[in-house]
């Protein structure tokens, strides 16, 4: 039991030290994450009404098309967005939850 | 299997070997893997040191290979597995050689630093559950930033070893991955550690880099969204590519008109690269053929000064591409701009009539050249030649010998070459290393002073 407690204490101290050593990069990533969450919120909102192409999502969200493509690509890789077919020269993307309804 | 150094051991002084092998191979691209396998198959014990989290080098990033159009992943992955599972090979990833010294017995002692994965590699099963819960998406360098990855990740789908790694510079230390890991493999307590490898021969296979996309400012690479480099096109063509299709980065459109600009980084005095990179003509023709297969309606143009197709079956490959309808325009591209839709506009002076023409495409690919990779001077005392690649004192009769007994160089670390030549040269380096090892063995049997003392490297 005491051994467990000691191990837990040592682990907490180790993580604290690591956090201290990396405080600048953690802060930088935290800012990046916040920005990313906001962009994802805007993209998801723009996709709420159904599938769209990258230019359509960009038009609805006001974000640059290349940024939309990068985020949609990331969301597709991690199963948050799915491809639902084509529209001319473009593919259509939908939020996974919308596509499954 | 050779025993691996223990990551929990503290730093060792230079004189205690943690690993004793016959040959140390530095670099796990195709050249290093082939040299390691050739030596290991002959019964020599080999340590292969790779600085990245997976072996495979550039070859594993490619879509298909010229001139056979074999699927690259299908031919590289078995080699990567063979290296990882060979009884005579100790594979050490995330490792840097920090120093190499002669050990007084005709061999060398290498001081190697292993950088932490923050993962217990024995426990990790590569299930990627950690990656799925990691909150931050980051540009994936394996996909030339076109796709995304996460702060904890398995480097790519066919990585060897299939083990996760944490990019500590982008980690929030939120602990979500620790909670998600079914085998408790996440270990934030790992530290860099150094250990020694004692070896009798060294094979340097540290590879090449490509010309930075923005090296020629007038071509707009790195600034114009639809001007990409050829390695990015390899990823777009690969089945595991970032988009799953060939799309252009500005807006996800499937391109209808694609152009290649040759010699975008080779044979160019303004960049200090006077030499030919030897692979760009062939990879551009290969990619053009693959594109016309994947996008049958697309127009594909190659702007070139010379087409150099010197290998076996290569000229036929070029003729086949012409017969497929790929347009070859003999001319020098002066600059690339873009229109309001981000379509690249190429300004080209044609050789036949000396006219300047402007042509608009959906996507432009820069056929970037091969630049030297790691400078092998400081650590291995193998100095760069005029072209920046490793100097070979006797390139005609001994193409992989560096001038230091028992130290050999192979693959693109010694100069631009394709995969076929890298493999041939890897075999040559392994044969020369094996011959050296045998000389050493017989010299040791004959007496202790028979091996010549070599300079301090
Ligand atoms: C766009 C493009 C397309 C191509 N297509 C073809 C094709 O179709 N057919 C063909 O034959 N060739 C092709 N090539 C050429 C081919 O990529 C090379 O011939 C081949 O990859 C060279 O392998 P290598 O092992 O010498 O180098 P690399 O692949 O560069 O491997 C070097 C390895 O060493 C590691 N390393 C570097 N420094 C260190 C260090 N200090 N310590 C430890 N490890 C280190 C690197 O991380 C890497 O894993 C293409 C090249 C390009 C750019």
């Amino acid at each position: 039991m005491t051994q467990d407690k000691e191990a837990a204490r040592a682990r907490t101290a180790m993580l604290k030290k690591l956090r201290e050593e990396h405080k600048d990069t953690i802060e930088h990533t935290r800012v990046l994450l916040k920005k990313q969450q906001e962009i994802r919120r805007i993209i998801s909102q723009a996709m709420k009404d159904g599938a769209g192409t990258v230019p359509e999502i960009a038009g609805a969200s006001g974000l640059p098309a290349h940024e939309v493509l990068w985020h949609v690509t990331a969301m597709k890789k991690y199963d948050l967005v799915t491809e639902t077919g084509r529209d001319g020269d473009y593919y259509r993307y939908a939020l996974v939850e919308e596509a499954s309804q | 299997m050779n025993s691996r150094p223990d990551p929990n051991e503290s730093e060792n002084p230079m004189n205690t070997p943690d690993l004793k092998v016959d040959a140390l191979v530095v670099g796990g691209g195709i050249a290093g893997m082939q040299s390691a396998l050739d030596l290991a198959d002959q019964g020599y014990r080999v340590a292969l040191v790779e600085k990245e989290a997976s072996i495979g080098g550039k070859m594993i990033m490619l879509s298909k290979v010229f001139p056979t159009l074999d699927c690259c992943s299908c031919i590289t992955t078995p080699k990567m597995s063979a290296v990882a599972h060979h009884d005579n090979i100790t594979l050490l990833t995330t490792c840097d050689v920090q120093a190499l010294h002669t050990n007084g017995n005709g061999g060398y002692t290498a001081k190697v630093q292993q950088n932490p994965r923050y993962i217990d590699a024995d426990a990790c099963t590569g299930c990627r559950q950690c990656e799925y819960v990691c909150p931050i998406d980051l540009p994936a360098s394996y996909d030339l930033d076109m796709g995304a990855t996460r702060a904890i990740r398995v480097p790519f789908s066919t990585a060897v070893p299939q083990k996760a790694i944490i990019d500590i510079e982008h980690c929030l230390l939120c602990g979500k991955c620790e909670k998600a890991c079914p085998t408790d493999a996440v270990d934030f307590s790992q530290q860099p550690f150094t250990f020694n490898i004692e070896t009798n021969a060294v094979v340097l296979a540290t590879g090449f880099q490509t010309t930075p996309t923005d090296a020629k400012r007038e071509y707009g690479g790195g600034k114009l969204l639809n001007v990409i480099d050829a390695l990015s096109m390899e990823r777009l063509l690969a089945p595991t590519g970032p988009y799953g299709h060939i799309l252009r980065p500005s807006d996800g459109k499937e391109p209808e008109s694609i152009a290649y600009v040759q010699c975008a980084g080779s044979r160019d005095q303004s960049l200090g690269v006077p030499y030919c990179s030897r692979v760009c003509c062939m990879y551009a023709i290969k990619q053009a053929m693959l594109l016309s297969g994947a996008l049958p309606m697309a127009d594909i143009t190659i702007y070139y000064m010379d087409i150099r197709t010197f290998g076996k079956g290569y000229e036929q490959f070029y003729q086949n591409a012409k017969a497929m309808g790929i347009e070859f325009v003999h001319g020098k591209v002066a600059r690339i701009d873009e229109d309001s839709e981000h379509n690249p506009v190429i300004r080209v002076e044609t050789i036949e009539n000396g006219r300047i023409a402007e042509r608009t495409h959906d996507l432009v690919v820069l056929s970037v050249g091969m630049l030297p990779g790691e400078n092998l001077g400081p650590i291995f005392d193998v100095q760069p030649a005029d072209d920046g690649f490793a100097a070979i004192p006797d390139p005609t009769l001994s193409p992989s010998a560096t001038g230091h007994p028992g130290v050999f160089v192979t693959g693109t670390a010694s100069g631009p070459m394709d995969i076929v030549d890298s493999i041939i040269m890897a075999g040559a380096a392994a044969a020369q290393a094996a011959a050296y090892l045998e000389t050493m063995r017989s010299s040791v049997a004959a007496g202790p002073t028979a091996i010549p003392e070599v300079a301090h490297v």
Side-chain angles (χ1 to χ4, degrees):
Chain A
M1 197 61 184
T2 30
Q3 258 182 0
D4 280 0
K5 266 195 191 151
E6 257 171 43
R9 215 169 291 143
R11 209 189 103 77
T12 312
M14 178 273 293
L15 278 175
K16 195 173 162 200
K17 188 165 162 259
L18 200 63
R19 283 204 180 96
E20 188 50 35
E21 276 167 20
H22 292 277
K23 71 173 191 287
D24 291 346
T25 57
I26 291 174
E27 186 48 30
H28 178 261
T29 309
R30 203 172 280 158
V31 171
L32 194 71
L33 179 64
K34 235 176 140 188
K35 196 170 150 213
Q36 198 166 94
Q37 284 168 337
E38 177 59 9
I39 294 175
R40 293 295 160 85
R41 194 188 56 73
I42 297 171
I43 290 180
S44 302
Q45 191 62 36
M47 295 173 82
K48 266 265 162 329
D49 296 331
T53 63
V54 168
E56 283 168 358
I57 301 165
S61 64
L63 293 167
H66 69 274
E67 227 176 275
V68 170
L69 175 64
W70 191 84
H71 285 279
V72 166
T73 301
M75 291 163 87
K76 193 175 130 206
K77 177 169 177 186
Y78 294 110
D79 299 340
L80 302 170
V81 155
T82 182
E83 209 178 272
T84 59
R86 284 185 71 131
D87 189 350
D89 291 333
Y90 295 91
Y91 285 86
R92 302 184 73 80
Y93 304 95
L95 293 172
V96 164
E97 58 206 69
E98 306 291 319
S100 63
Q101 274 163 23
Chain B
M1 181 71 86
N2 291 314
S3 62
R4 282 176 166 72
D6 180 353
N8 298 316
E9 269 174 21
S10 56
E11 183 168 326
N12 284 307
M14 199 70 196
N15 52 4
T16 47
D18 296 282
L19 193 61
K20 250 183 142 165
V21 293
D22 298 306
L24 167 67
V25 176
V26 185
I30 186 61
M33 290 194 293
Q34 190 62 51
S35 286
L37 287 168
D38 285 354
L39 283 161
D41 285 346
Q42 293 174 64
Y44 296 107
R45 289 161 308 145
V46 179
L48 193 155
V49 168
E50 166 59 51
K51 70 177 161 96
E52 300 294 338
S54 169
I55 49 174
K58 307 282 185 315
M59 187 174 169
I60 192 63
M61 299 168 80
L62 306 179
S63 53
K64 296 193 174 178
V65 287
F66 63 74
T68 53
L69 297 186
D70 284 321
C71 151
C72 212
S73 181
C74 311
I75 57 176
T76 317
T77 315
K79 281 233 188 274
M80 292 158 72
S81 274
V83 165
H85 294 118
H86 204 297
D87 281 348
N88 288 337
I89 299 178
T90 302
L91 175 58
L92 297 156
T93 49
T94 69
C95 282
D96 281 319
V97 177
Q98 299 196 315
L100 186 75
H101 296 284
T102 52
N103 64 9
N105 302 319
Y108 296 89
T109 304
K111 183 178 171 194
V112 177
Q113 174 169 305
Q114 184 151 46
N115 298 307
R117 279 178 184 266
Y118 300 100
I119 296 292
D120 174 349
D122 290 334
C124 178
T125 61
C127 71
R128 295 180 68 217
Q129 290 188 45
C130 54
E131 189 175 334
Y132 272 78
V133 297
C134 178
I136 185 80
D137 285 342
L138 301 163
S141 57
Y142 183 71
D143 280 330
L144 287 297
D145 295 352
M146 293 181 293
T149 188
R150 293 205 162 146
I152 185 166
R153 62 206 176 222
V154 173
F156 49 91
S157 59
T158 54
V160 171
Q162 254 312 281
K163 306 283 174 192
I165 181 166
I166 294 178
D167 166 3
I168 203 74
E169 294 303 304
H170 290 97
C171 177
L172 290 156
L173 290 169
C174 66
K176 286 190 176 162
C177 51
E178 269 184 306
K179 290 196 189 100
C181 179
T183 61
D184 289 332
V186 177
D187 178 2
F188 285 111
S189 71
Q190 286 184 358
Q191 297 283 331
F193 77 104
T194 52
F195 58 96
N196 295 330
I197 299 178
E198 196 143 302
T199 183
N200 287 332
V202 179
V203 177
L204 302 170
T206 46
F208 72 103
Q209 319 172 41
T210 49
T211 318
T213 316
D214 61 357
K216 270 188 94 65
R217 289 256 214 72
E218 57 273 37
Y219 288 173
K223 194 174 74 178
L224 307 183
L225 292 169
N226 292 321
V227 174
I228 62 172
D229 71 1
L231 214 46
S232 304
M233 181 51 90
E234 290 289 339
R235 295 307 305 144
L236 292 182
L237 284 162
T240 54
Y243 309 137
H245 306 282
I246 298 148
L247 307 178
R248 66 177 199 170
S250 72
D251 58 0
K253 181 186 177 200
E254 197 172 76
E256 285 165 17
S257 165
I258 303 160
Y260 281 80
V261 177
Q262 295 307 106
C263 297
S266 312
R267 303 173 68 202
D268 190 330
Q269 293 288 359
S270 73
L271 296 177
V273 183
Y275 56 83
C276 166
S277 289
R278 296 167 57 102
V279 295
C280 321
C281 288
M282 282 299 285
Y283 74 55
I285 296 171
K286 167 194 77 176
Q287 292 187 359
M289 284 170 127
L290 295 173
L291 283 168
S292 53
L295 309 172
M297 304 308 286
D299 293 327
I300 299 153
T301 310
I302 296 182
Y303 296 98
Y304 73 99
M305 293 297 288
D306 285 306
I307 291 286
R308 296 187 170 177
T309 50
F310 50 82
K312 188 175 165 72
Y314 291 9
E315 179 62 20
Q316 189 55 48
F317 196 73
Y318 171 37
Q319 297 307 330
N320 292 351
K322 284 206 270 192
M324 283 170 79
I326 291 153
E327 186 191 7
F328 287 81
V329 175
H330 195 190
K332 178 80 192 149
V333 172
R335 60 178 296 115
I336 308 173
D337 295 295
E338 65 176 11
D339 66 14
S340 59
E341 315 263 82
H342 295 299
N343 298 308
V345 181
I346 283 187
R347 204 174 149 81
V348 59
E349 185 183 347
T350 55
I351 306 279
E352 269 69 37
N353 54 24
R355 275 210 213 114
I356 308 272
E358 275 197 356
R359 290 176 70 178
T360 304
H361 300 276
D362 287 338
L363 183 63
V364 167
V365 184
L366 301 179
S367 291
V368 289
M370 280 182 163
L371 297 183
E374 177 112 1
N375 179 354
L376 300 172
I379 290 170
F380 302 100
D381 196 28
V382 173
Q383 301 307 329
D386 289 346
D387 61 5
F389 292 90
I392 312 281
D394 187 1
T396 315
L397 294 180
S398 200
S400 22
T402 60
H404 294 300
V407 181
F408 305 93
V409 63
T410 187
T412 51
S414 67
M417 67 183 74
D418 61 16
I419 293 164
V420 177
D421 286 352
S422 297
I423 288 178
I424 292 170
M425 198 176 174
Q432 285 196 292
Y436 178 79
L437 291 170
E438 288 313 305
T439 321
M440 261 194 99
R441 205 172 276 178
S442 40
S443 306
V444 169
T449 52
I451 296 290
E453 191 58 58
V454 294
H456 203 64
V457 291

